[in-house]
Amino acid sequence: MRKLFLFTLFCLLCEIHVFACTNLLVGKKASVDGSTMITYSADSYALFGELYHWPARKYPNGVMLKVYEWDSGRYMGEIAQVNQTYNVVGNMNEHQLTIAETTFGGREELADPDGIMDYGSLIYITLQRAKTAREAIKIMTDLVAEYGYYSGGESFSIGDPNEIWVLEMSGKGKGNKGAVWVAVRIPDDCVSAHANQARIQQFPLNDPDNCIYAKDVISFAREKGYFSGKDEDFSFAKAYNPLDFGGQRFCEARVWAFFNRYNKDMAKYVTYAQGKTQEPMPLYIKANKKLSLADLQAMMRDHYEGTELDWTNDVGAGPFKSPYRWAPLTWESDSVKYCNERPIATQQSGFVFTTQMRSWLPNPVGGVIWFGTDDAAQTVFTPMYCSITEIPECYREGNGDLYTFSWTSSFWIQNWVSNMVYNRYEPMHADLVKVQNELENGFFMNQARIEKEAVELYKKSPEQAIQYLTRYSGEQAQFAFDKWKKLGEFLLIKYMDGIVRKEKDGQFIRNEHGKPSSPQRVGYPEDHYRRVVKETGDKYKVLY
């Protein structure tokens, strides 16, 4: 019975993560400045947004590490601890190594309820142990081989200052410890993405510099009846995560949005994104320009605007053209099933980030995790350096949780503001973007100066450079937090009770006697009134 319970729990947790999370990846020759970059939107209605931290430590021989599942906190078991661990800030470590993920789930029968390593623990334990992407791949695959893999199918983004890889992994089922997996290096001049659907199709079988895979990844698929054919025709995605409508419309569509924005030839895959055709997109493409950090942050805020999947102008968007619909993703009307779109930017994000990894700078300076809590479209990407030794109070673990509101928690302040904006999106989001741009542009403008000073300090004393960056990161997080709290106060006053109070440059206008001026009774947009008349006829007509 206990085994059945654990398996059921596993399946339920997989359901939580279906259609969650998005990763965008950029090779060093595909970026404006030579950075490698990875983004992550950690999307789940059960996830609290905070910035994790594991300080570097040394351990004697024989120490065991207790493993707790990242999603549920459930105790999984023990594994051998290593003698030296590295400083980890969020999903980046002191060597500028980044690991992110999206869950594709895959075949239910491949779940292993006896495995010790869940996908989240696999990420954060590996970050404490690996220096490079290739080393991380070996550690991750060795860990699941030795201790078993508990989670469903996962796509991992793994990057260091020189290389970007996608590792896709699936369990092998109860009583069959380990995992089947394949890892493909993204060419330096290309970009890639994944969003809850396995994306590695055919892969090179004899190119270890660019592709590594489990020795039984094909034979196991044959044994289970997932594949029959020549080895060179084998597709990991087709064998271990067969495509369905949700995998295309809710998952691959997000990848398409990224590819389509930066490569005009990808427009032809719109029918694939819509679930109408099944020819899959490539794992990676060349963009039509080199991408900046700002480009990636903007892409993380995408709601399909300007594409065939744009849904901001139909009746579902409401009078204020909202790019959001509330869960669930599918719904029925008159026994016909319909769906909502699932864009990259989404309300249920716990945290989001873009990492910037740079080979020409010392590691403590070169690695930056641009971190934000809540919805990417409503947050501020704030620079947190990979070497910092203290986490800002607003991001600190334990400062509130999903059932404990905290006025000093970034997650809660961001959600307070976002949930005001969602209900009157078009006008309120415009006010939000002004503050968002002011903060992020300020961070960009300061970056070169801060890093120049940090490099000079590093030459004298690495410890002083780390202290400097720790202090700077903390100050910027608090500055952004304070500005966002003020934004929330401003929005509440300006739009209270459905009117709009007059303001200029963020200051509310008073009359000549110092009293608040009369507010504007703006009502609704004209097209909304037309829809009301069309539906109700003369019901509300003024008769005399």
Short mmCIF file of all heavy atoms in Angstrom, two decimals, residues 230-261:
data_model
loop_
_atom_site.label_atom_id
_atom_site.label_comp_id
_atom_site.label_asym_id
_atom_site.label_seq_id
_atom_site.Cartn_x
_atom_site.Cartn_y
_atom_site.Cartn_z
N LYS A 230 15.89 1.72 -37.48
CA LYS A 230 17.33 1.87 -37.43
C LYS A 230 17.73 2.83 -36.32
O LYS A 230 17.02 3.80 -36.04
CB LYS A 230 17.84 2.41 -38.78
CG LYS A 230 17.57 1.48 -39.96
CD LYS A 230 18.07 2.11 -41.25
CE LYS A 230 17.78 1.19 -42.44
NZ LYS A 230 18.25 1.80 -43.72
N ASP A 231 18.89 2.57 -35.72
CA ASP A 231 19.36 3.42 -34.64
C ASP A 231 19.41 4.89 -35.04
O ASP A 231 19.05 5.78 -34.26
CB ASP A 231 20.76 2.98 -34.17
CG ASP A 231 20.72 1.71 -33.32
OD1 ASP A 231 19.62 1.17 -33.12
OD2 ASP A 231 21.79 1.28 -32.86
N GLU A 232 19.88 5.15 -36.25
CA GLU A 232 20.04 6.55 -36.69
C GLU A 232 18.71 7.27 -36.85
O GLU A 232 18.66 8.51 -36.94
CB GLU A 232 20.84 6.62 -37.99
CG GLU A 232 20.28 5.81 -39.13
CD GLU A 232 20.89 4.42 -39.23
OE1 GLU A 232 21.28 3.85 -38.19
OE2 GLU A 232 20.98 3.89 -40.36
N ASP A 233 17.61 6.52 -36.88
CA ASP A 233 16.28 7.14 -37.01
C ASP A 233 15.62 7.36 -35.65
O ASP A 233 14.52 7.92 -35.58
CB ASP A 233 15.37 6.27 -37.87
CG ASP A 233 15.86 6.17 -39.31
OD1 ASP A 233 16.49 7.15 -39.79
OD2 ASP A 233 15.64 5.11 -39.94
N PHE A 234 16.28 6.94 -34.59
CA PHE A 234 15.67 7.02 -33.26
C PHE A 234 15.47 8.47 -32.83
O PHE A 234 16.36 9.31 -32.96
CB PHE A 234 16.55 6.31 -32.23
CG PHE A 234 16.05 6.44 -30.82
CD1 PHE A 234 14.95 5.70 -30.39
CD2 PHE A 234 16.66 7.30 -29.92
CE1 PHE A 234 14.48 5.81 -29.10
CE2 PHE A 234 16.20 7.42 -28.62
CZ PHE A 234 15.10 6.67 -28.20
N SER A 235 14.30 8.77 -32.29
CA SER A 235 13.96 10.10 -31.74
C SER A 235 13.67 9.95 -30.26
O SER A 235 12.75 9.23 -29.88
CB SER A 235 12.74 10.69 -32.45
OG SER A 235 12.18 11.74 -31.69
N PHE A 236 14.46 10.63 -29.43
CA PHE A 236 14.21 10.57 -27.98
C PHE A 236 12.82 11.10 -27.67
O PHE A 236 12.08 10.51 -26.89
CB PHE A 236 15.27 11.39 -27.24
CG PHE A 236 15.12 11.34 -25.74
CD1 PHE A 236 15.79 10.39 -24.99
CD2 PHE A 236 14.29 12.23 -25.06
CE1 PHE A 236 15.63 10.32 -23.61
CE2 PHE A 236 14.13 12.18 -23.69
CZ PHE A 236 14.80 11.22 -22.95
N ALA A 237 12.46 12.22 -28.26
CA ALA A 237 11.17 12.85 -27.96
C ALA A 237 10.00 11.95 -28.34
O ALA A 237 9.04 11.80 -27.57
CB ALA A 237 11.06 14.19 -28.68
N LYS A 238 10.06 11.34 -29.51
CA LYS A 238 8.95 10.50 -29.95
C LYS A 238 8.83 9.23 -29.10
O LYS A 238 7.73 8.75 -28.84
CB LYS A 238 9.12 10.14 -31.42
CG LYS A 238 8.89 11.32 -32.35
CD LYS A 238 9.09 10.92 -33.81
CE LYS A 238 8.86 12.13 -34.73
NZ LYS A 238 9.13 11.79 -36.14
N ALA A 239 9.97 8.70 -28.66
CA ALA A 239 9.94 7.47 -27.88
C ALA A 239 9.46 7.71 -26.45
O ALA A 239 8.64 6.95 -25.93
CB ALA A 239 11.33 6.83 -27.86
N TYR A 240 9.97 8.78 -25.82
CA TYR A 240 9.75 8.95 -24.39
C TYR A 240 8.76 10.06 -24.03
O TYR A 240 8.36 10.17 -22.87
CB TYR A 240 11.09 9.20 -23.69
CG TYR A 240 12.01 8.00 -23.76
CD1 TYR A 240 13.15 8.02 -24.55
CD2 TYR A 240 11.71 6.83 -23.07
CE1 TYR A 240 14.00 6.91 -24.63
CE2 TYR A 240 12.54 5.72 -23.14
CZ TYR A 240 13.67 5.76 -23.93
OH TYR A 240 14.49 4.66 -24.00
N ASN A 241 8.34 10.84 -25.01
CA ASN A 241 7.33 11.88 -24.74
C ASN A 241 6.51 12.12 -26.00
O ASN A 241 6.61 13.18 -26.63
CB ASN A 241 8.02 13.17 -24.29
CG ASN A 241 7.04 14.26 -23.84
OD1 ASN A 241 7.34 15.45 -23.93
ND2 ASN A 241 5.87 13.88 -23.35
N PRO A 242 5.69 11.13 -26.39
CA PRO A 242 4.90 11.27 -27.62
C PRO A 242 4.08 12.55 -27.62
O PRO A 242 3.49 12.93 -26.60
CB PRO A 242 4.01 10.02 -27.62
CG PRO A 242 4.74 9.05 -26.76
CD PRO A 242 5.42 9.86 -25.71
N LEU A 243 4.04 13.20 -28.75
CA LEU A 243 3.39 14.50 -28.87
C LEU A 243 1.87 14.36 -28.82
O LEU A 243 1.30 13.41 -29.35
CB LEU A 243 3.80 15.13 -30.21
CG LEU A 243 3.65 16.63 -30.37
CD1 LEU A 243 4.53 17.38 -29.37
CD2 LEU A 243 4.04 17.03 -31.80
N ASP A 244 1.21 15.31 -28.15
CA ASP A 244 -0.24 15.42 -28.20
C ASP A 244 -0.59 16.90 -28.36
O ASP A 244 0.30 17.76 -28.44
CB ASP A 244 -0.90 14.81 -26.97
CG ASP A 244 -0.44 15.44 -25.65
OD1 ASP A 244 0.14 16.54 -25.67
OD2 ASP A 244 -0.66 14.83 -24.58
N PHE A 245 -1.88 17.21 -28.38
CA PHE A 245 -2.30 18.59 -28.62
C PHE A 245 -1.75 19.53 -27.55
O PHE A 245 -1.24 20.62 -27.85
CB PHE A 245 -3.83 18.68 -28.65
CG PHE A 245 -4.34 20.09 -28.82
CD1 PHE A 245 -4.39 20.68 -30.07
CD2 PHE A 245 -4.76 20.84 -27.72
CE1 PHE A 245 -4.84 21.99 -30.23
CE2 PHE A 245 -5.22 22.13 -27.86
CZ PHE A 245 -5.26 22.71 -29.13
N GLY A 246 -1.82 19.12 -26.28
CA GLY A 246 -1.31 19.97 -25.20
C GLY A 246 0.18 20.22 -25.33
O GLY A 246 0.66 21.32 -25.05
N GLY A 247 0.92 19.17 -25.74
CA GLY A 247 2.35 19.33 -25.91
C GLY A 247 2.70 20.35 -26.96
O GLY A 247 3.76 20.98 -26.89
N GLN A 248 1.82 20.51 -27.94
CA GLN A 248 2.07 21.52 -28.97
C GLN A 248 1.52 22.89 -28.56
O GLN A 248 2.26 23.87 -28.52
CB GLN A 248 1.42 21.08 -30.29
CG GLN A 248 2.10 19.89 -30.91
CD GLN A 248 1.48 19.47 -32.23
OE1 GLN A 248 0.82 18.44 -32.31
NE2 GLN A 248 1.68 20.26 -33.27
N ARG A 249 0.23 22.95 -28.27
CA ARG A 249 -0.43 24.25 -28.07
C ARG A 249 0.01 24.92 -26.77
O ARG A 249 0.12 26.14 -26.70
CB ARG A 249 -1.94 24.07 -28.09
CG ARG A 249 -2.76 25.35 -28.09
CD ARG A 249 -2.52 26.19 -29.37
NE ARG A 249 -3.48 27.28 -29.47
CZ ARG A 249 -4.57 27.26 -30.23
NH1 ARG A 249 -4.87 26.18 -30.95
NH2 ARG A 249 -5.38 28.30 -30.28
N PHE A 250 0.24 24.14 -25.72
CA PHE A 250 0.59 24.72 -24.43
C PHE A 250 2.10 24.79 -24.18
O PHE A 250 2.54 25.52 -23.31
CB PHE A 250 -0.04 23.91 -23.30
CG PHE A 250 -1.53 23.76 -23.41
CD1 PHE A 250 -2.15 22.56 -23.05
CD2 PHE A 250 -2.33 24.79 -23.87
CE1 PHE A 250 -3.53 22.41 -23.15
CE2 PHE A 250 -3.71 24.66 -23.96
CZ PHE A 250 -4.31 23.46 -23.61
N CYS A 251 2.86 24.00 -24.94
CA CYS A 251 4.30 23.87 -24.65
C CYS A 251 5.17 24.31 -25.82
O CYS A 251 5.88 25.32 -25.74
CB CYS A 251 4.62 22.42 -24.28
SG CYS A 251 3.62 21.79 -22.89
N GLU A 252 5.12 23.58 -26.91
CA GLU A 252 5.93 23.93 -28.06
C GLU A 252 5.60 25.32 -28.61
O GLU A 252 6.45 25.98 -29.21
CB GLU A 252 5.76 22.88 -29.17
CG GLU A 252 6.40 21.53 -28.88
CD GLU A 252 7.90 21.56 -29.11
OE1 GLU A 252 8.62 22.06 -28.22
OE2 GLU A 252 8.35 21.09 -30.16
N ALA A 253 4.39 25.78 -28.38
CA ALA A 253 4.02 27.12 -28.85
C ALA A 253 4.90 28.20 -28.22
O ALA A 253 5.21 29.22 -28.85
CB ALA A 253 2.55 27.40 -28.55
N ARG A 254 5.33 27.98 -26.97
CA ARG A 254 6.21 28.96 -26.32
C ARG A 254 7.58 28.98 -26.98
O ARG A 254 8.19 30.04 -27.16
CB ARG A 254 6.32 28.64 -24.83
CG ARG A 254 5.12 29.03 -24.02
CD ARG A 254 5.26 28.56 -22.58
NE ARG A 254 4.73 27.22 -22.39
CZ ARG A 254 5.07 26.40 -21.41
NH1 ARG A 254 6.01 26.77 -20.54
NH2 ARG A 254 4.53 25.22 -21.29
N VAL A 255 8.07 27.80 -27.35
CA VAL A 255 9.34 27.73 -28.09
C VAL A 255 9.18 28.44 -29.42
O VAL A 255 10.05 29.22 -29.84
CB VAL A 255 9.75 26.26 -28.29
CG1 VAL A 255 11.02 26.18 -29.14
CG2 VAL A 255 9.97 25.58 -26.95
N TRP A 256 8.07 28.17 -30.09
CA TRP A 256 7.82 28.80 -31.39
C TRP A 256 7.80 30.32 -31.26
O TRP A 256 8.34 31.03 -32.12
CB TRP A 256 6.48 28.33 -31.97
CG TRP A 256 6.11 29.09 -33.21
CD1 TRP A 256 6.61 28.89 -34.48
CD2 TRP A 256 5.21 30.20 -33.30
NE1 TRP A 256 6.07 29.81 -35.35
CE2 TRP A 256 5.21 30.62 -34.65
CE3 TRP A 256 4.41 30.87 -32.39
CZ2 TRP A 256 4.43 31.70 -35.09
CZ3 TRP A 256 3.64 31.94 -32.83
CH2 TRP A 256 3.65 32.34 -34.16
N ALA A 257 7.21 30.85 -30.21
CA ALA A 257 7.16 32.30 -30.03
C ALA A 257 8.56 32.91 -30.01
O ALA A 257 8.82 33.96 -30.61
CB ALA A 257 6.41 32.65 -28.74
N PHE A 258 9.49 32.25 -29.32
CA PHE A 258 10.88 32.71 -29.26
C PHE A 258 11.55 32.59 -30.62
O PHE A 258 12.14 33.55 -31.13
CB PHE A 258 11.62 31.87 -28.22
CG PHE A 258 13.08 32.20 -28.05
CD1 PHE A 258 13.52 33.51 -28.01
CD2 PHE A 258 14.01 31.18 -27.93
CE1 PHE A 258 14.88 33.81 -27.84
CE2 PHE A 258 15.36 31.46 -27.76
CZ PHE A 258 15.80 32.78 -27.72
N PHE A 259 11.45 31.43 -31.24
CA PHE A 259 12.07 31.22 -32.54
C PHE A 259 11.49 32.17 -33.58
O PHE A 259 12.21 32.73 -34.41
CB PHE A 259 11.85 29.77 -32.99
CG PHE A 259 12.72 28.75 -32.29
CD1 PHE A 259 13.61 29.12 -31.28
CD2 PHE A 259 12.67 27.41 -32.65
CE1 PHE A 259 14.41 28.18 -30.64
CE2 PHE A 259 13.46 26.46 -32.02
CZ PHE A 259 14.33 26.85 -31.01
N ASN A 260 10.19 32.33 -33.57
CA ASN A 260 9.51 33.16 -34.57
C ASN A 260 9.91 34.62 -34.46
O ASN A 260 10.03 35.32 -35.48
CB ASN A 260 8.00 33.01 -34.40
CG ASN A 260 7.21 33.83 -35.41
OD1 ASN A 260 7.32 33.64 -36.61
ND2 ASN A 260 6.42 34.77 -34.91
N ARG A 261 10.14 35.09 -33.24
CA ARG A 261 10.51 36.50 -33.08
C ARG A 261 11.88 36.81 -33.69
O ARG A 261 12.10 37.91 -34.20
CB ARG A 261 10.51 36.90 -31.60
CG ARG A 261 10.85 38.38 -31.39
CD ARG A 261 10.79 38.81 -29.94
NE ARG A 261 9.45 38.76 -29.39
CZ ARG A 261 9.10 39.29 -28.21
NH1 ARG A 261 10.01 39.91 -27.48
NH2 ARG A 261 7.87 39.19 -27.78
#
